[in-house]
Amino acid sequence: METVIEKTNVNVDIEALRKEIIKEENIVFKKTIGLTDNPLSYCPGCGHGVVHRLIGEVCEEMEIIQDVIAIAPVGCSVFAYDFFNLDTQSAAHGRAPAVATGVKRTMPDKYVFTYQGDGDLAAIGTGETIHAANRGENITIIFINNGIYGMTGGQMAPTTLLNMKSSTSPYGREMDVHGYPLNITDMIAPLRGVCYATRQSVHTPANVRKAKAAIKKAFEYQKLKKGLSIVEIMSNCNSGWKMTPVQSNKWMEENMLENFPLGDIKVPQDK
Amino acid sequence: MKGNEAIAEAAIRCGCDAYFGYPITPQSEILEYLALEDPYNKRSGMVVLQAESEIAAINMVYGAAGCGKKAMTSSSSPGISLKQEGLSYIAAGELPCLVVNVSRGGPGLGSIQPGQADYFQSVKGGGHGDYRLIVLAPNTVQEQYDFVDLGFELAFKYRNPVLILSDGAIGQMMEKVVLTPQKDRSVTLPSWATTGKTPDRERNRIFTLNIETDVQENHNRKLQAKYKVVEENEIRYQEFKTDDAEYIIVAYGISSRICMKTIQLAREKGIKLGMFRPITLWPFPKQKLFELSKNVKGIFAVEHSCGQMVEDVELAVKNNTPVKFYGRSGGVIMTPQEVLLFIESEMNK
Ligand SMILES: Cc1ncc(C[n+]2csc(CCOP(=O)(O)OP(=O)(O)O)c2C)c(N)n1
């Protein structure tokens, strides 16, 4: 190592340096093999990329890459099938839980998860979500709640807070026009088909670690065939909210978490 | 057995992996028969599931088909409308599957009696985008049975959704059926299927999005090239007394059964009437019909709609001979006699 540093100081041989850096013994951090090398299409600062990495890491650590089938949604994460190094199906908008049902019923030994935004899961796909949950499908739903339709340019989502501005609620969401923010995870948690429901976030390193543990737990419950597990992850949408990444994480903590409190909502009751 | 039961029995026996359905008259017997037979536990290990909607059912089919499984769903007209989104995605993703429409009178909730008014929806698109379904139209309970296996064969051969366009009459009628032996469910899955990424291969992806317009256009060209191969190889039809015919009826499904009697009545009166029955509605047997139309005095398109297949007949016949349309709709079933009356009145014009 020392010789390399000396060499670069004297005469920078980039090629040699690169070769040296990628030597197995010199690598200090590697991207998980659960992700591909494709560059993510997410805005810098957005939580989607973090959650992708967590899922990839969990699949790698549990050594289940060959046993996972992922279902991508329609939304910002529509290209998830190019980011996960997994066999993946891309579902129509909102239909991921139904597609996952078709996969899991015919491939019962595989881990099956859907990755969905709030518009996908809690608006157009509400029916599919509730019934997959009620049937106790042995699948995991990773639900990214950013309070907005990110992909289509920041329109109001079912999860948009009261008074929160979006391109289709430019004066703020009004209760008597648009109704209230929908808290779908709490709504489906009491269903007997749901074994595990939790709400996490990825706005601080500590929360990122907790979110990862929750994803792992959900996959473990799936292996034990306990029923449907849902991991809601609160995420910023700095572009949609028109803030910097730092501002948006602060705003989320101060505003979103009151409506969507973090923590386990339901955990399996062992008999 | 009943036409609908034949579909269900054929599904079990041909080694179908999964059926996802939602009740609607006049096809609920398919789901009921499968539930009663309990193939999941008892006979073949097939998955049978009542979905929360036709939308969910077709998307369950998408998921199972994406894993390379033989998956199917069935419904009747209003429910088939709900499946159009899924069908467009399945066609775009080039997934094999079987869909059965035991159609009834429309539009709207319409009537629960037989209808053939879903022809346009079946052969011209129905969902969005440039895609085709291979459409098979049975006219006996035996064909209801046979077309399930044939449908899956074509679906996997071309990686394309296949639609059996039946109707409430064929679905509800009872006839004798020759059954085939139970096939094993296939254990080897296609190489493109999402079965879990093993280290020895690239990941498999089932998707329908192409942001780059030229990539999407190339995909469309690939689909069109496939459809052309289907058109060249999979046309099916049946001729009935066309050899000496001066007039020809073109009819499919229940209408073709009724017109068999019309032809008998006409022949008793000395009218040389025959019938051409398209079995594949897409691809439509237009070349054969074009040839036939050169030698006849007139063609009658007879269907239980307000005039849908007649457009394809006119396109095929290319003004070789006059094409006249006769139809009943809303679930009203025509009699052989009224068809003959219509034909005689047209002949005398
Ligand atoms: C049937 C249908 N309707 C509408 C759209 C347009 N659309 C694409 S993404 C999207 C919203 C996605 O928002 P969300 O699920 O919250 O995910 P995010 O983009 O915020 O991650 C909409 C409405 C579509 N693709 N298909």
Side-chain angles (χ1 to χ4, degrees), chain B residues 38-289:
Chain B
D38 198 10
Y40 194 104
N41 295 312
K42 293 189 185 134
R43 280 176 67 184
S44 65
M46 174 181 175
V47 173
V48 178
L49 186 62
Q50 177 170 335
E52 66 270 28
S53 69
E54 289 86 351
I55 298 176
I58 191 73
N59 283 284
M60 291 173 187
V61 167
Y62 179 102
C67 297
K69 301 282 183 172
K70 272 185 172 179
M72 68 180 286
T73 180
S74 67
S75 187
S76 180
S77 309
I80 295 290
S81 289
L82 282 182
K83 293 190 195 290
Q84 296 305 320
E85 174 198 47
L87 280 170
S88 169
Y89 281 72
I90 288 172
E94 293 197 85
L95 299 179
C97 76
L98 182 66
V99 179
V100 181
N101 180 2
V102 183
S103 70
R104 62 191 228 185
L109 212 41
S111 106
I112 59 170
Q113 300 302 325
Q116 295 184 306
D118 302 345
Y119 180 92
F120 283 154
Q121 184 195 56
S122 309
V123 308
K124 306 286 178 193
H128 58 286
D130 283 315
Y131 75 93
R132 292 288 187 181
L133 306 177
I134 300 172
V135 185
L136 302 169
N139 84 343
T140 60
V141 176
Q142 182 71 54
E143 280 188 350
Q144 292 265 100
Y145 180 89
D146 294 339
F147 286 2
V148 171
D149 198 19
L150 173 65
F152 273 121
E153 189 190 311
L154 294 173
F156 275 82
K157 184 169 171 189
Y158 296 102
R159 279 186 66 179
N160 206 68
V162 171
L163 175 75
I164 296 181
L165 181 56
S166 180
D167 53 66
I170 307 289
Q172 292 296 329
M173 68 165 61
M174 287 185 97
E175 289 183 315
K176 282 188 185 166
V177 181
V178 179
L179 301 178
T180 47
Q182 176 72 47
K183 277 194 197 174
D184 287 337
R185 294 193 307 127
S186 110
V187 277
T188 46
L189 298 171
S191 59
W192 49 261
T194 56
T195 52
K197 186 207 164 304
T198 46
D200 57 332
R201 67 157 167 83
E202 280 297 297
R203 66 197 198 285
N204 282 339
R205 303 170 303 162
I206 306 295
F207 66 101
T208 65
L209 175 68
N210 295 297
I211 286 285
E212 310 276 348
T213 50
D214 51 340
V215 176
Q216 181 63 43
E217 188 174 48
N218 279 338
H219 180 61
N220 286 344
R221 287 194 177 126
K222 184 178 154 222
L223 291 179
Q224 293 303 318
K226 175 172 83 175
Y227 300 150
K228 200 155 181 290
V229 177
V230 177
E231 281 184 294
E232 281 160 8
N233 295 291
E234 303 300 345
I235 286 180
R236 286 170 171 78
Y237 55 84
Q238 187 190 13
E239 289 176 74
F240 182 67
K241 295 192 193 296
T242 50
D243 288 350
D244 63 342
E246 292 178 349
Y247 295 92
I248 286 178
I249 290 176
V250 183
Y252 69 97
I254 184 59
S255 305
S256 64
R257 288 295 288 277
I258 292 166
C259 289
M260 301 280 270
K261 183 72 180 172
T262 305
I263 289 165
Q264 185 199 328
L265 297 173
R267 295 243 164 200
E268 280 165 13
K269 286 181 150 185
I271 303 168
K272 289 191 173 162
L273 186 62
M275 179 163 63
F276 180 76
R277 171 170 81 99
I279 295 174
T280 48
L281 299 181
W282 193 89
F284 193 77
K286 49 189 174 198
Q287 188 55 34
K288 184 67 199 174
L289 187 55

Side-chain angles (χ1 to χ4, degrees), chain A residues 58-227:
Chain A
V58 167
C59 292
E60 181 180 357
E61 286 162 21
M62 291 176 74
E63 297 182 359
I64 56 171
I65 288 178
Q66 69 288 349
D67 294 321
V68 184
I69 299 171
I71 315 298
V74 172
C76 287
S77 43
V78 68
F79 288 116
Y81 56 80
D82 274 339
F83 306 144
F84 291 124
N85 190 23
L86 302 168
D87 274 6
T88 311
Q89 294 193 18
S90 151
H93 197 18
R95 315 295 178 220
V99 172
T101 299
V103 172
K104 186 73 181 193
R105 293 275 176 153
T106 53
M107 308 285 279
D109 299 331
K110 300 289 168 186
Y111 292 83
V112 179
F113 76 89
T114 68
Y115 185 103
Q116 302 176 259
D118 38 43
D120 196 83
L121 180 126
I124 193 166
T126 316
E128 284 78 1
T129 304
I130 290 176
H131 286 279
N134 193 49
R135 283 191 305 266
E137 295 295 342
N138 254 305
I139 60 171
T140 298
I141 294 178
I142 310 287
F143 166 33
I144 308 298
N145 181 354
N146 57 14
I148 205 160
Y149 283 17
M151 176 78 158
T152 38
Q155 294 84 5
M156 184 175 56
T159 46
T160 300
L161 302 181
L162 287 179
N163 302 320
M164 184 174 165
K165 287 182 180 160
S166 75
S167 68
T168 50
S169 58
Y171 308 109
R173 180 177 191 148
E174 291 172 66
M175 174 271 289
D176 49 353
V177 183
H178 309 114
Y180 299 94
L182 181 63
N183 197 328
I184 196 154
T185 306
D186 289 273
M187 226 174 95
I188 65 169
L191 297 177
R192 279 175 284 173
V194 176
C195 71
Y196 179 50
T198 185
R199 187 177 297 108
Q200 303 291 331
S201 92
V202 288
H203 71 295
T204 69
N207 285 103
V208 170
R209 277 195 290 278
K210 281 190 201 158
K212 181 172 167 182
I215 294 170
K216 202 168 204 168
K217 254 193 231 167
F219 278 29
E220 278 159 2
Y221 294 140
Q222 188 178 151
K223 184 171 190 185
L224 297 171
K225 302 197 191 309
K226 292 223 175 258

